[in-house]
Amino acid sequence: MCGIIGYTGSQNAVPVIIEGLKKLEYRGYDSAGIAYYDGNGINVLKRKGRIAELEQYISETIHNCQSSVNCQLSTINCSLGHTRWATHGEPSDINSHPHVGNKRNIAVVHNGIIENYKQLKEYLQNKGVGFASETDSEVIAQLAEYYYNGDILETVIKVSNRLEGSYALGIMFCDKPDLLVAVKKDNPLIIGVSKHGNFIASDIPAVLKHTNKVFYLEDKEIVILYKERVEFYGIDGEPITKTSEIISWSVDDAEKGGEPHFMLKEIKEQPKTLRDTINSLIKDGENKKVLDNFNIIRYNKIVITACGSAYNAGFAAKYVFERLCRFPSVEVELASEFRYKDAVIDDKTLVILISQSGETADTIAAMREARAKNAETLAIVNVVGSTIAKEADYCIYTAAGPEIAVATTKAFSAQLITLYILAVKFALQLNKISPELGNSLMEEIVSVPEKTALILEQVDEIQKHSSACVVYKSIFFIGRNIDYAIALEGSLKLKEISYIHSEAYAGGELKHGTISLIEDGTLVVAIANCKNLHSKIMSNVEQVASRGAKVIIVGNSPESDIVLPDCNELFSPSLSVIVLQLFGYYVAANKGLDIDKPRNLAKSVTVE
Ligand code: F6R
């Protein structure tokens, strides 16, 4: 998973590309590079590491080359850029993109994985083509150069038809230095059209400063970008007409809003995210239409499948579906497992897919597996126009807007609240709850955003608790029932950004092995919102405290260290999670870590 951007227009392309790359850095940050035509051929500047390192390298190149062609960098109007998350070949200068053909006639940036790259490489090597890198992506540049006969469209079609796997490609031709070509399959690509020039990009924030008018490229569609216009073609080479869309996000939506990290900004946005998501489902618009027309009666099984935090949202929702709908079968599966387990599902199964990005490879595969077995799919997705959103039978969009921090917060909360509303709706359809109870549950749900705002008022208190916890080497999160579900998310959030080992346990399960790990100097965060299980979780607290653990209680009873507003326990994960996100955030902040881009991770996991 990588980020690609291209620009051709009247502005100096290098700063435009660098700025765009910074907005895409969440997609991968192993290395970055740019390509441009230098008057002789295509030149590439690329560096292992973050975009800041590439930027430094570019400015040194300009500074050191009084008379060389690189000085033309300030007059370049057309360029391609790439930020990489390594899949094939280690992060290194040479494996960085853009990749060029041996004659430097063609440069390519690629997001995705070419599954048949070994065969293609062998094919080209047999024709005498040498390779510089270990990547699958270089094969595309070499293949394009091998086929190129002056006809760009024909070349791109030929290349595209030989590639197996997933790709979003930006391509530059040395003899047509003012234009760019792009094509995609199974990875996102948008086209931005501005007054001063045109863009290709993996995601909208990369172009938002310049334009809010975009086209979404569909699989196997080709676009040719000229300075003043864009042309679209089908894979048969025939011109096609596409309709642009206007993006309502402001540039500010995609910026940090004055907070030190996107993650904190996104945590604080949650009351609004929740309100917007609820309104989209109960007031007016596309989400409400989908929900109003959806009928659960024809299914006898629900399978919820997703990855990471989205899975945790599904896991919490299982308790709500079971409690309210009394549905015979609600299963929650990790998408990476579901896709290979030969699931027992059929046309009476509803498969609910949850994904912020809508591009997670395992979740896409799970969706396709479900559809192949005739199950119906309902997706809960944040990114409009993403693969899951487009391919699922039904799609509900969470209204979280762009989420930039790698660790999800507001999108998770939007997923949870959407799932609660689905559960109430289904329970009513199934006649498992009375309309009066349905109304009062909806009132509870509508009050959740205000309650999350109240928790955010306790941010200093939560920061104080968290800051004292930096010293722990291992942190356990415990809870029972739905509190256990949210403990999983608390633990994931903490470990992914603070690099502190952490586990989540069902309170009653500790005595079956885990309690042997509890000793002086262990920290246990206990989540205690389930009223009928209060005494049970408090006995678990006693058990760990008596073995030397320091305990922090997050719950709605007065003895809690962090006291949550009163709430129906089914919806309490939406409150607990705010505390747990802030806890993880401040522990990591105290360690001075790169919170928005934790090591080894990327925002959108488009590879298996
Ligand atoms: C954790 C996190 C990941 C994602 C997971 C699924 O903070 O963000 O665990 O939840 O990679 O991603 P999406 O929701 O895009 O399918």
Side-chain angles (χ1 to χ4, degrees), residues 143-164:
L143 192 64
E145 200 169 76
Y146 175 72
Y147 281 139
Y148 189 50
N149 58 0
D151 186 331
I152 49 175
L153 196 56
E154 189 186 305
T155 305
V156 173
I157 292 169
K158 271 191 188 158
V159 169
S160 185
N161 284 339
R162 290 217 54 184
L163 299 179
E164 287 168 22

Side-chain angles (χ1 to χ4, degrees), residues 295-311:
N295 192 347
I296 192 66
I297 310 281
R298 60 206 156 103
Y299 305 102
N300 58 22
K301 181 172 180 175
I302 296 176
V303 179
I304 304 174
T305 186
C307 300
S309 291
Y311 167 85

Side-chain angles (χ1 to χ4, degrees), residues 307-310 354-357 360 406-408 415 492-493 496 605:
C307 300
S309 291
I354 310 170
S355 177
Q356 187 285 128
S357 61
T360 300
V406 165
T408 183
Q415 290 161 354
L492 175 58
K493 215 83 304 175
E496 72 177 313
V605 188

Side-chain angles (χ1 to χ4, degrees), residues 264-331:
L264 188 57
K265 174 186 173 248
E266 289 162 4
I267 291 173
K268 291 186 178 176
E269 281 170 3
Q270 289 179 105
K272 177 178 185 300
T273 297
L274 290 169
R275 222 172 287 122
D276 290 348
T277 304
I278 295 169
N279 288 344
S280 77
L281 288 157
I282 65 174
K283 288 206 166 143
D284 207 7
E286 280 309 306
N287 274 354
K288 183 168 185 307
K289 257 189 237 157
V290 175
L291 202 57
D292 287 349
N293 294 326
F294 194 85
N295 192 347
I296 192 66
I297 310 281
R298 60 206 156 103
Y299 305 102
N300 58 22
K301 181 172 180 175
I302 296 176
V303 179
I304 304 174
T305 186
C307 300
S309 291
Y311 167 85
N312 293 342
F315 191 76
K318 176 180 158 77
Y319 288 90
V320 188
F321 279 112
E322 284 180 343
R323 195 86 66 82
L324 295 182
C325 306
R326 313 306 299 162
F327 208 74
S329 174
V330 183
E331 294 170 10

Side-chain angles (χ1 to χ4, degrees), residues 59 85 150 173 179 210 229 395 421 544 559 586 593 596 602 608:
S59 67
W85 189 74
F173 293 82
L179 64 79
H210 303 276
R229 66 182 197 284
C395 178
I421 294 174
V544 293
E559 78 258 50
Y586 282 116
L593 297 171
D596 286 334
E608 198 179 345

